[in-house]
Structure formats: C-alpha cells, structure tokens
C-alpha cells in the first residue's frame, strides 16, 4: 500500500503521522522529507522504511515506494 493511501485510509494527516512516529519510536522526521515520501519524490532510506513498515504494522512495505 502506498504511504499516501495509508494516511488517507487511516485518517492521518502528515503532521499527525509524524507525531505518531515520534511518540512510538522516538524518531523525528523532517516534515518536508516526509512530504516527499508521500508524493513519491524521494524514497526513504533503509532504516526509515523499516520504521514506516513497523508503525503501519506492515501495511506500507519498502517495495511500496517503488513503481515496479
């Protein structure tokens, strides 16, 4: 599932999702960087993709950032 679709389906804004990551993983991600991931302009690094995978309970997988 694409990150954008996950946010919409689970009624997260980008800001609230970043707060969710901060609260659960104690990791801060720049809002501008996150916005680029959502719009498929950039792809998260390995550790960042793993964090998203864990926070979304596997709904957003690292492969979802690639258009294969």
């Amino acid at each position: 599932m694409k990150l954008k679709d996950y946010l919409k389906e689970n009624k997260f804004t980008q800001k609230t999702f970043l707060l969710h990551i901060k609260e659960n993983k104690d990791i801060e991600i720049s809002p501008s960087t996150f916005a680029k991931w959502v719009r498929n302009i950039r792809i998260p690094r390995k550790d960042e993709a793993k964090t998203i995978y864990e926070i979304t309970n596997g709904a957003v997988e690292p492969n979802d950032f690639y258009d294969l």
Side-chain angles (χ1 to χ4, degrees):
M1 171 183 285
K2 294 287 186 186
L3 183 55
K4 179 179 180 178
D5 297 332
Y6 178 86
L7 297 176
K8 186 176 182 178
E9 185 176 298
N10 291 280
K11 296 179 176 50
F12 277 110
T13 64
Q14 290 183 27
K15 184 177 181 178
T16 58
F17 191 75
L18 288 173
L19 289 172
H20 184 63
I21 291 173
K22 172 92 171 109
E23 291 171 357
N24 289 286
K25 293 287 187 177
D26 198 30
I27 297 171
E28 288 194 44
I29 299 170
S30 156
S32 62
T33 297
F34 188 75
K36 290 175 184 172
W37 297 345
V38 172
R39 295 188 321 241
N40 291 321
I41 294 171
R42 282 187 56 197
I43 296 171
R45 292 184 192 110
K46 181 180 178 181
D47 57 331
E48 297 162 335
K50 182 180 177 189
T51 297
I52 292 170
Y53 177 79
E54 291 170 351
I55 288 289
T56 62
N57 294 315
V60 179
E61 298 180 354
N63 283 346
D64 295 331
F65 291 97
Y66 295 90
D67 292 322
L68 301 176

